[in-house]
Amino acid sequence: MKYCTECSSEYQDSVTRCADCGGTELVGAAEMKKRGLLLANEVDTRKFVRATTTDDPLSSDAMVAVLEGAEIPVFARPRRDDSTAMPWWEILVPEDQLAKATPLLKDERDKMAANADEAAKAAEEEEKETEGTGS
Ligand SMILES: [Zn+2]
């Protein structure tokens, strides 16, 4: 089986051109997976929209976990900035779940920011203590 990289339609191995969208790149299931593309039978017919983006995989995992916990279908797609080659992650949810997902993601983001603040404060405290022992 081969799949169209443009629209995920499924084809016999002998087919070289997608009849649905005219795409000429048909690849095997393993290659589709490698590129983070969904196969035709995995494609959710709902329209997925971007709920948020992150710039590291850990935040991306955390966001996905929060949404999965709320039983919102979600997938994260690694992207790369064309100009800087910096990776970032796009978190997608079905359009009809976006209103539910947005406040959850905001909470998670606040929590992450608070943790970062705490870590910074702890590091600062430690620095003060170290300075103190010197005098
Ligand atoms: Zn196609």
Side-chain angles (χ1 to χ4, degrees):
M1 270 317 157
K2 292 202 297 192
Y3 303 85
C4 173
T5 56
E6 295 295 326
C7 71
S8 306
S9 291
E10 190 179 307
Y11 290 99
Q12 301 292 334
D13 286 343
S14 58
V15 177
T16 56
R17 188 185 175 88
C18 176
D20 281 343
C21 72
T24 53
E25 197 178 9
L26 305 184
V27 300
E31 181 64 23
M32 289 292 278
K33 276 245 149 63
K34 214 167 95 187
R35 297 192 196 181
L37 299 169
L38 294 170
L39 307 184
N41 56 1
E42 293 172 341
V43 172
D44 200 311
T45 51
R46 281 172 296 187
K47 188 177 176 223
F48 276 69
V49 295
R50 182 191 296 175
T52 188
T53 63
T54 72
D55 51 14
D56 69 274
L58 284 180
S59 305
S60 165
D61 285 350
M63 297 295 186
V64 167
V66 163
L67 296 179
E68 279 177 346
E71 291 182 359
I72 297 173
V74 55
F75 70 93
R77 191 158 58 169
R79 311 306 297 261
R80 194 170 284 275
D81 193 306
D82 280 340
S83 54
T84 62
M86 289 294 286
W88 54 281
W89 284 259
E90 186 176 30
I91 315 287
L92 297 126
V93 299
E95 200 168 27
D96 59 4
Q97 299 284 316
L98 185 60
K100 191 177 162 190
T102 301
L104 294 171
L105 291 173
K106 189 186 175 303
D107 280 356
E108 183 61 23
R109 205 170 274 281
D110 288 349
K111 222 185 288 172
M112 281 195 257
N115 284 344
D117 275 356
E118 237 160 69
K121 226 174 268 171
E124 214 168 88
E125 291 292 315
E126 210 164 283
E127 211 164 279
K128 263 183 215 152
E129 270 167 36
T130 315
E131 276 168 21
T133 52
S135 58

